[in-house]
């Protein structure tokens, strides 16, 4: 005999566990299915193992989506303070590492344990592969452990990022199966690969400003053996379409040409390399070799046009890219299940009653710094409330 649940949550990650716990606590019978051997695998590796579980200053403007207003309702109804209250209820010590970014003092495992404790009334089946989902009077879910039925199904298997953790396109495939549209997907919060890598600069780090159009981030950048990484690069990568490169200012907050003219005025007898003293030493040498190889021997004889060329290279560097490091090193997936086909109030599919989609699978992608977890909690919570109401 096939067991009938009120809710089947596909995916035991951040959003899925939040939805399951919320629905079960409001009276729904819930089963959670995941092919992984343990719950919350992405939570466990986040924040260097300490989980940057939210950002206190979360706003809809911190998210990318084809509908920039879609996330507003869920974020307003389940806030960072709500999740923090849950963390404190479970006596998990936390700290604010950077403005608004909250981390566990000890381990990300505490967040997973908290979610499992909140969802203790749910049935949890790990190491369970989902083969198919069909819909008649109820949803029929075929797994390698048998067949079960549910009045509602939640697509919460995440996106395509970090395949070594078992990333899957299951939610996207099932959404298509039920007629939902998919916004184009791509790796986001991902390191960039230079067309001509600079392995000699690997490990060099500095504060930069990275810009694409009207969007900019000022934060750290680090050279890798293949390209560029660091918070500023990861942030701006989400805004780069294929074939596009960001504009990088290696001397943020400074007018590069004015600064170079000032060095020339104050140190006319200095060698040209003195112009780059504000940069890390290895980077300064590389830029000097590129831009100043045939320059006059002292700054007094350096023409303004050469200063302008150097200022452009330092203050407005547009690197030539070969692409990104892809989903293997992307923190999240951009794009996903089209928000036009979902209710922003409940996360339920508009034309498929009982089908819900939450978390990374949806076309809502947050900035670096806890925003994506807050979207998981918020979307999971509002879906859980709607699922429980539907079960009554």
């Amino acid at each position: 005999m096939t067991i009938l649940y009120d809710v089947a949550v596909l995916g035991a990650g951040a959003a899925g566990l939040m939805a399951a716990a919320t629905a079960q606590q409001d009276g729904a019978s819930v089963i959670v299915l995941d092919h992984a051997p343990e719950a919350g695998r992405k939570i466990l590796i986040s924040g260097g193992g300490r989980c940057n579980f939210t950002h206190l200053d979360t706003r809809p403007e911190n998210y990318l989506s084809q509908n920039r207003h879609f996330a507003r309702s869920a974020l307003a109804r389940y806030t960072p303070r709500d999740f923090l209250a849950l963390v404190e209820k479970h006596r998990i010590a936390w700290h604010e590492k950077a403005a608004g970014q909250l981390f566990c003092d000890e381990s990300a495992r505490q967040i997973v344990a908290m979610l499992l404790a909140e969802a203790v009334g749910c049935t949890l089946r790990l190491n369970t592969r989902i083969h198919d989902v069909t819909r008649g009077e109820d949803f029929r879910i075929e797994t390698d452990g048998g067949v079960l039925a549910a009045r509602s199904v939640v697509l919460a298997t995440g996106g395509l990022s970090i395949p070594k953790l078992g990333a899957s396109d299951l939610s996207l495939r099932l959404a298509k199966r039920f007629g939902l549209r998919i916004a184009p997907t791509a790796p986001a919060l991902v390191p960039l690969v230079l067309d001509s890598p600079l392995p000699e600069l690997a490990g060099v780090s500095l504060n930069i400003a990275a810009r694409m159009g009207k969007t900019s981030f000022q934060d750290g950048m680090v050279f890798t053996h293949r390209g560029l990484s660091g918070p500023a690069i990861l942030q701006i990568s989400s805004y780069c379409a294929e074939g596009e490169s960001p504009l990088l200012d290696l001397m943020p907050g400074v007018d590069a040409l004015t600064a170079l003219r000032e060095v020339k005025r104050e140190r006319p007898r200095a060698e040209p390399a003195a112009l780059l003293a504000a940069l890390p030493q290895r980077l300064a040498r590389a830029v000097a070799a590129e831009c100043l190889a045939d320059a006059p021997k002292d700054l007094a004889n350096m023409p303004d046009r050469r200063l302008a060329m150097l200022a452009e290279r330092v203050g407005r560097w547009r690197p030539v890219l070969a692409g990104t490091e892809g989903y293997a090193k992307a923190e999240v997936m951009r794009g996903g299940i089209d928000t036009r086909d979902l209710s922003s109030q409940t996360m339920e599919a508009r034309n498929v009653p009982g089908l819900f989609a939450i978390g990374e699978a949806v076309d809502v992608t947050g900035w670096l710094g806890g925003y994506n977890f807050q979207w998981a909690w918020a979307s999971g919570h509002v879906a859980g409330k709607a699922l429980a109401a539907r079960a009554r």
Side-chain angles (χ1 to χ4, degrees):
M1 180 177 175
T2 302
I3 301 174
L4 176 64
Y5 294 88
D6 290 326
V7 180
V9 177
L10 312 186
L17 290 176
M18 177 59 83
T22 305
Q24 186 273 326
Q25 289 173 13
D26 276 7
S29 61
V30 181
I31 185 168
V32 182
L33 306 168
D34 201 301
H35 68 274
E38 61 183 334
R41 297 184 83 187
K42 204 166 182 182
I43 299 173
L44 295 175
I45 68 161
S46 66
R50 292 192 175 181
C51 187
N52 179 190
F53 56 79
T54 194
H55 197 295
L56 291 177
D57 190 30
T58 297
R59 295 165 293 138
E61 293 77 19
N62 303 127
Y63 295 86
L64 291 80
S65 174
Q66 289 187 341
N67 177 1
R68 61 192 179 91
H69 298 294
F70 181 82
R72 187 177 301 276
S73 176
L75 293 172
R77 289 157 59 207
Y78 193 83
T79 70
R81 296 288 177 183
D82 292 323
F83 190 77
L84 182 56
L86 185 62
V87 168
E88 292 182 334
K89 170 188 161 186
H90 285 260
R91 303 186 179 213
I92 299 172
W94 58 273
H95 61 278
E96 190 171 2
K97 186 174 181 180
Q101 297 180 23
L102 304 191
F103 289 75
C104 297
D105 281 359
E106 296 178 18
S107 170
R109 289 194 175 276
Q110 295 172 291
I111 298 296
V112 176
M114 177 192 77
L115 293 169
L116 291 174
E118 288 289 309
V120 69
C122 303
T123 300
L124 177 62
R125 288 191 191 170
L126 301 174
N127 287 309
T128 300
R129 295 200 170 273
I130 298 160
H131 296 312
D132 199 10
V133 178
T134 54
R135 184 169 178 266
E137 183 178 344
D138 297 302
F139 290 91
R140 185 174 187 271
I141 300 114
E142 296 180 26
T143 76
D144 55 6
V147 177
L148 58 98
R151 295 186 175 91
S152 298
V153 164
V154 184
L155 304 179
T157 60
L160 303 173
S161 60
I162 320 182
K164 69 180 181 181
L165 294 183
S168 164
D169 67 347
L170 179 63
S171 288
L172 303 182
R173 285 189 283 113
L174 291 177
K176 284 183 185 177
R177 168 86 61 83
F178 287 104
L180 277 64
R181 291 166 286 190
I182 305 296
T185 58
L189 298 180
V190 62
L192 303 177
V193 176
L194 291 170
D195 187 60
S196 298
L198 300 165
E200 68 276 11
L201 295 181
V204 171
S205 62
L206 68 161
N207 193 57
I208 70 158
R211 177 180 295 278
M212 280 296 299
K214 295 181 180 179
T215 302
S216 66
F217 298 94
Q218 185 169 326
D219 210 324
M221 178 184 82
V222 62
F223 286 87
T224 68
H225 282 90
R226 286 165 46 84
L228 307 171
S229 190
I233 295 299
L234 298 183
Q235 293 278 40
I236 207 65
S237 72
S238 297
Y239 291 83
C240 298
E242 187 174 354
E244 293 182 335
S245 297
L247 198 63
L248 306 183
D249 183 352
L250 307 185
M251 297 174 63
V254 175
D255 182 283
L257 182 55
T258 299
L260 296 181
R261 283 173 173 164
E262 186 68 13
V263 174
K264 175 181 174 180
R265 185 184 66 78
E266 291 182 352
R267 303 179 61 189
R269 297 304 172 193
E271 294 182 353
L275 294 167
L276 301 170
L279 299 180
Q281 201 170 61
R282 270 195 288 160
L283 177 58
R285 285 199 298 265
V287 174
E290 176 188 336
C291 302
L292 300 174
D294 59 346
K297 297 299 182 185
D298 57 45
L299 293 181
N301 293 307
M302 179 80 71
D304 267 6
R305 61 181 177 78
R306 292 299 297 269
L307 288 180
M309 290 171 57
L310 185 59
E312 185 77 8
R313 173 63 175 81
V314 172
R316 294 177 56 82
W317 179 36
R318 195 176 292 279
V320 179
L321 301 179
T324 75
E325 291 284 4
Y327 286 115
K329 294 189 178 179
E331 302 227 354
V332 291
M333 175 187 77
R334 186 176 70 207
I337 297 170
D338 199 314
T339 58
R340 290 176 295 177
D341 295 330
L342 301 174
S343 163
S344 63
Q345 300 289 317
T346 64
M347 308 304 295
E348 186 174 14
R350 295 185 184 281
N351 298 320
V352 188
L355 183 66
F356 292 71
I358 57 177
E360 189 182 347
V362 177
D363 176 30
V364 175
T365 305
W367 290 2
L368 191 70
Y371 297 102
N372 286 294
F373 274 129
Q374 186 56 38
W375 169 245
W377 316 136
S379 61
H381 177 82
V382 299
K385 289 291 186 184
L387 286 157
R390 196 172 189 278
R392 288 196 282 270

